[in-house]
């Protein structure tokens, strides 16, 4: 058979590659400690599960769910945003349910790009951001993220010919994989830049709640005054673009509410972008089972103690893992957000993250994600996901100490 050329850049995926390496290690008898995938091991809250369970016995939830039937969820999402960020949102025209935010970031390029158009993406960045551009037959211009720039892109470095062919910019802070955060001033700069160059500004925002409270002053603007009307430690892109002139933001319940397997998220923002994405979505699927949306409504409108508990858990794991790394002489800055550790590789692995991860799991059973899998400028780093309790994380570091020595 002959297949489309657009599949060629999709043949390599960091998560699929590590999945194969894990299978080989397991077959060889290794006891695997999997720190490669950011899938929370924490459970969804009881009131969320109850809402879904009750829906199962309601036969009216068993049919196809079209857009108008999702209004209750869209209204809950709009209210959640207003309460958290002080941004008024129209649930009818400015919210779209998604099968996880990855669906949105992968499908939006189909609505924005013609063949050959550029998308400006963070490098390193989340793989589905690039995958969606390839599916749309677009080109990628990687915006390098360097430690000396606090892992923020420098817009002035983007060449004018690239900008002339660009249609969208994708940001994501708190950032996967680097765990960097961005202040409101940066988002204001990004909005102004995209307005000037007629770009859609896309913000992937899954880690809005996984921010550690001992440094709440990160959410300050350039004049060091707190972001107004916010209950969040980090800003939404819509706070920098309250008129929603060019911006769309993606949120998932996978991280804040431990609902990764339920595949529920939403897009929120510019009504034209929402409508364009809705047209693509209509050609691909209907919506999730209504019971999952009922669970998501319960999550967004119910007690938020589970979110606070999850943040405390990941903070404890972060501290345990960083302390253990420092104990073996691997000195890594303490991340400010997310469930990840972005670690600069020591010699002799400093420019071979794939080989490091391949040998690490083969020899120790510890699985991690190579920085090169997130883009050219991720080379020299490795990402660890804190998806186990502290004792197991410390065991992983002990194994790595033997490997490194």
């Amino acid at each position: 058979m002959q297949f489309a050329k657009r599949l060629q850049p999709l043949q390599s995926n960091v998560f699929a590659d590590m999945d194969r390496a894990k299978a080989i290690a397991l077959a060889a008898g290794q006891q695997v400690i999997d720190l490669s995938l950011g899938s929370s091991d924490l459970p969804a809250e009881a009131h969320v599960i109850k809402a879904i369970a009750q829906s199962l016995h309601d036969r009216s939830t068993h049919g196809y769910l079209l857009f108008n039937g999702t209004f209750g969820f869209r209204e809950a999402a709009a209210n959640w945003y207003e309460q958290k960020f002080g941004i008024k949102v129209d649930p009818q025209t400015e919210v779209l349910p998604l099968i996880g935010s990855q669906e949105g970031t992968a499908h939006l390029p189909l609505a924005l790009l013609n063949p050959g158009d550029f998308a400006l993406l963070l490098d390193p960045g989340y793989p589905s951001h690039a995958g969606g551009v390839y599916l749309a037959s677009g080109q990628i211009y990687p915006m390098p993220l360097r430690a000396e720039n606090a892992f923020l892109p420098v817009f002035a470095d983007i060449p004018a010919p690239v900008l002339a062919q660009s249609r969208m910019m994708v940001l994501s802070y708190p950032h996967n994989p680097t765990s960097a955060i961005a202040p409101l001033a940066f988002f204001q700069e990004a909005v102004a830049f995209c307005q000037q160059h007629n770009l859609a500004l896309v913000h992937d925002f899954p880690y809005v709640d996984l921010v550690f409270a001992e440094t709440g002053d990160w959410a300050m603007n350039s004049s060091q005054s707190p972001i107004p009307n916010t209950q969040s430690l980090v800003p939404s892109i819509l706070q920098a673009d309250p008129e929603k002139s060019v911006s769309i933001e993606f949120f998932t319940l996978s991280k804040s509410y431990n609902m990764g397997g339920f595949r529920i998220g939403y897009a929120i923002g510019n009504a034209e972008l929402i409508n364009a994405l809705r047209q693509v979505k209509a050609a691909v699927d209907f919506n999730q089972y209504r019971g999952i949306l009922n669970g998501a409504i319960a999550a967004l409108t119910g007690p938020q103690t589970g979110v606070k508990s999850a943040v405390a858990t990941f903070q404890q794991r972060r501290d345990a893992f960083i302390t253990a790394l420092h104990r073996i002489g691997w000195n890594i800055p303490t991340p400010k957000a997310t469930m990840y550790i972005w670690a600069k590789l020591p010699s002799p692995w400093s420019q071979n993250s794939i080989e490091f991860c391949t040998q690490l799991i083969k020899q120790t059973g510890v699985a991690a994600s190579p920085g090169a899998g997130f883009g050219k400028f991720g080379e020299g780093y490795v990402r660890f996901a804190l998806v186990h309790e502290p004792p197991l994380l410390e065991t992983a570091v002990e194994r790595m100490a033997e490997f490194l020595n």
Side-chain angles (χ1 to χ4, degrees):
M1 293 185 183
Q2 293 186 351
F3 294 95
K5 293 179 180 178
R6 67 174 60 89
L7 287 183
Q8 293 176 0
L10 303 178
Q11 292 176 2
S12 179
N13 177 285
V14 62
F15 303 121
D17 293 345
M18 288 312 302
D19 198 47
R20 283 190 289 272
K22 284 181 281 187
I24 293 170
L26 286 168
Q30 280 283 9
Q31 292 182 323
V32 171
I33 302 176
D34 191 356
L35 308 181
S36 66
L37 189 63
S39 179
S40 176
D41 59 314
L42 304 179
E45 289 292 290
H47 65 280
V48 173
I49 301 301
K50 181 179 179 181
I52 297 172
Q54 289 176 336
S55 301
L56 291 171
H57 301 286
D58 178 359
R59 61 187 296 176
S60 71
T61 69
H62 294 183
Y64 289 126
L65 181 61
L66 301 181
F67 179 76
N68 286 335
T70 68
F71 182 78
F73 172 71
R74 288 182 279 124
E75 186 174 42
N79 290 338
W80 186 88
Y81 247 76
E82 183 173 358
Q83 292 168 11
K84 200 171 191 72
F85 299 110
I87 301 293
K88 263 293 200 191
V89 176
D90 182 351
Q92 196 63 262
T93 62
E94 296 178 338
V95 184
L96 182 69
L98 297 171
I99 305 174
S101 62
Q102 182 164 326
E103 182 209 343
T105 57
H107 283 162
L108 185 61
L110 292 170
L112 289 172
L113 301 180
N114 290 313
D117 287 344
F118 273 99
L120 310 175
L121 304 187
L122 302 179
D123 186 345
Y126 190 65
S128 79
H129 299 167
V133 175
Y134 290 133
L135 288 175
S137 299
Q139 299 187 76
I140 291 171
Y141 179 81
M143 298 186 291
L145 304 185
R146 297 185 171 93
E148 57 266 31
N149 296 324
F151 296 110
L152 300 175
V154 179
F155 301 139
D157 290 345
I158 303 170
V162 170
L163 277 175
Q165 275 186 267
S166 297
R167 299 295 176 263
M168 61 186 294
M169 174 189 289
V170 181
L171 303 175
S172 184
Y173 291 96
H175 185 244
N176 176 15
T178 69
S179 77
I181 54 91
L184 181 61
F186 168 79
F187 285 136
Q188 291 168 333
E189 180 187 355
V191 169
F193 185 86
C194 289
Q195 288 171 336
Q196 178 185 354
H197 296 284
N198 196 28
L199 304 174
L201 179 53
V202 182
H203 187 229
D204 197 8
F205 203 26
Y207 300 98
V208 52
D209 290 307
L210 289 187
V211 183
F212 305 117
E214 75 268 17
T215 46
D217 59 342
W218 301 332
M220 299 294 219
N221 62 24
S222 57
S223 63
Q224 293 300 298
S225 59
I227 297 173
N229 302 319
T230 183
Q231 296 183 28
S232 175
L233 292 176
V234 290
S236 159
I237 198 72
L238 302 183
Q239 290 175 285
D241 186 14
E243 294 81 21
K244 309 178 192 75
S245 62
V246 294
S247 305
I248 185 171
E249 193 156 69
F250 294 109
F251 177 72
T252 175
L253 281 76
S254 297
K255 311 302 181 183
S256 298
Y257 297 99
N258 306 314
M259 294 178 67
F262 295 93
R263 308 311 305 133
I264 177 67
Y266 57 83
I268 197 162
N270 178 275
E272 290 181 293
L273 291 173
I274 292 290
N275 186 58
L277 182 57
R278 180 183 168 188
Q279 291 176 56
V280 173
K281 183 176 176 65
V284 176
D285 65 74
F286 289 109
N287 287 283
Q288 297 94 318
Y289 168 55
R290 187 188 295 272
I292 292 177
L293 267 68
N294 289 341
I297 292 170
L300 294 172
T301 62
Q304 301 298 296
T305 51
V307 178
K308 295 177 182 177
S309 176
V311 173
T313 294
F314 283 111
Q315 182 171 340
Q316 180 187 29
R317 293 176 180 184
R318 175 203 67 175
D319 293 344
F321 196 76
I322 288 290
T323 299
L325 286 177
H326 288 180
R327 196 159 51 236
I328 69 170
W330 196 349
N331 294 314
I332 305 298
T334 301
K336 303 171 180 179
T338 78
M339 57 172 64
Y340 306 114
I341 303 294
W342 184 241
K344 192 171 181 63
L345 284 167
S347 180
W349 310 99
S350 56
Q351 290 302 313
N352 201 341
S353 59
I354 293 176
E355 183 66 14
F356 172 85
C357 289
T358 302
Q359 292 301 319
L360 182 67
I361 191 169
K362 181 179 180 181
Q363 296 184 36
T364 72
V366 176
S369 292
F374 297 95
K376 173 184 175 182
F377 293 94
E379 183 57 278
Y381 288 85
V382 60
R383 192 198 74 175
F384 300 103
L386 303 174
V387 292
H388 295 289
E389 293 298 324
L392 200 55
L393 292 174
E394 290 168 352
T395 298
V397 174
E398 290 169 7
R399 293 188 191 180
M400 286 192 288
E402 297 176 12
F403 173 76
L404 291 170
N405 290 330

